[in-house]
Amino acid sequence: MSPSKLFCPPSLGIAAKRERRKEARPGELLDAALDLFVEKGFAATRAEEVAARAGVSKGTLFLYFQSKEELLKAVVRENISGRFKEWNEELESFEGTSAEMLAYCMHSWWDRVGATKASGITKLMMSEAKNFPDIAAFYQQEVIQPGQSLIRRILQRGMERGEFRDMDLDYGVYTVIAPMIFLMLSKHSMGVCVRDDIDMDPKKYVAMQVNTLLYGMSVVPADSGRGRSQGPEQT
């Protein structure tokens, strides 16, 4: 007889297994929902499909989430909006230059969101938000506004420290966001955004965007001490 049967009565073993399974269900449902929402779209995904992929009944899904809309909101919070507190705390303790902070922000966004399945949420929202105004308003409040506020803080810090020239912060924020949206959309576009003969390296792309944002594409005047340099080497 196995040790587990000697020291753990069958009824207790089954109960423990069920408890572990119950604890795992919300996470499994969120993972399944994210996959299906990105694959099929929000409108086309049925609640029973999410439940089936997570290995539970439709009734079980609604024990945790009152509606498909609430399920989507939970997916967004789990993968993006729930992390803004962590990201803001990182920036508050950041000791480098504002240029380094901006580079860190963009690379971290790619590593933690863009390179993951969560990048599909951007495509999902852009394609379906117009048909679901309540979800669009939720996404605006919990993702767009905090994200723009975070970037605005970085640009404002650079201006106050004399590291960035004065700029219209509203448009400066969009200048930072736009290339990251392109990168995430290209990941889910099946080659529509990028030529087939180009093997897009996301890290090189982000480094290029950081370099362009910080130094532009113009040759630096010779009397600046930088000669014809175009900024630091990309990493």
Side-chain angles (χ1 to χ4, degrees):
M1 182 177 291
S2 68
S4 62
K5 291 182 178 179
L6 280 172
F7 299 106
C8 182
S11 60
L12 292 180
I14 293 172
K17 184 176 181 180
R18 285 177 177 169
E19 184 62 28
R20 288 195 300 271
R21 176 65 178 162
K22 182 178 179 181
E23 292 173 354
R25 280 174 183 164
E28 292 171 351
L29 286 164
L30 292 177
D31 288 343
L34 174 59
D35 289 342
L36 284 165
F37 289 153
V38 173
E39 289 172 18
K40 301 183 63 175
F42 178 71
T45 299
R46 293 176 293 124
E48 50 264 38
E49 291 178 292
V50 176
R53 181 166 294 197
V56 301
S57 68
K58 182 180 176 180
T60 299
L61 185 153
F62 287 120
L63 287 176
Y64 296 99
F65 308 101
Q66 295 182 352
S67 65
K68 194 172 70 167
E69 288 76 10
E70 290 302 315
L71 177 60
L72 176 57
K73 290 178 181 180
V75 167
V76 172
R77 289 187 176 114
E78 175 71 15
N79 289 278
I80 302 179
S81 62
R83 307 182 70 174
F84 276 114
K85 182 176 183 295
E86 164 196 344
W87 291 332
N88 276 288
E89 289 174 350
E90 286 185 27
L91 293 188
E92 287 173 3
S93 61
F94 196 90
E95 296 181 353
T97 66
S98 298
E100 291 169 339
M101 178 184 280
L102 181 62
Y104 175 78
C105 174
M106 294 177 71
H107 281 287
S108 294
W109 179 264
W110 175 254
D111 290 339
R112 302 178 193 182
V113 179
T116 73
K117 293 188 296 183
S119 61
I121 294 174
T122 298
K123 171 178 173 286
L124 174 69
M125 288 296 172
M126 292 183 73
S127 63
E128 301 213 40
K130 184 177 180 180
N131 297 321
F132 299 94
D134 289 345
I135 290 175
F138 161 82
Y139 194 75
Q140 180 72 223
Q141 180 178 343
E142 296 219 5
V143 177
I144 301 300
Q145 292 177 11
Q148 292 186 2
S149 176
L150 187 149
I151 296 170
R152 192 182 185 94
R153 284 179 56 198
I154 297 173
L155 300 181
Q156 183 71 51
R157 178 184 190 264
M159 290 167 55
E160 291 174 352
R161 292 163 60 119
E163 297 170 327
F164 296 161
R165 66 173 181 264
D166 289 346
M167 68 181 82
D168 184 318
L169 286 174
D170 291 333
Y171 289 98
V173 166
Y174 290 125
T175 302
V176 175
I177 292 173
M180 303 308 292
I181 291 178
F182 170 84
L183 185 56
M184 287 190 285
L185 290 179
S186 68
K187 179 180 176 182
H188 296 274
S189 68
M190 298 185 68
V192 172
C193 296
V194 182
R195 293 200 331 251
D196 291 338
D197 60 336
I198 295 180
D199 185 14
M200 176 74 81
D201 183 326
K203 290 189 178 298
K204 287 184 178 180
Y205 172 87
V206 173
M208 176 68 184
Q209 298 305 317
V210 171
N211 197 61
T212 302
L213 285 167
L214 294 175
Y215 304 103
M217 298 180 70
S218 299
V219 175
V220 178
D223 61 0
S224 69
R226 297 182 60 84
R228 295 179 63 83
S229 170
Q230 294 181 321
E233 292 185 1
Q234 298 173 31
T235 57

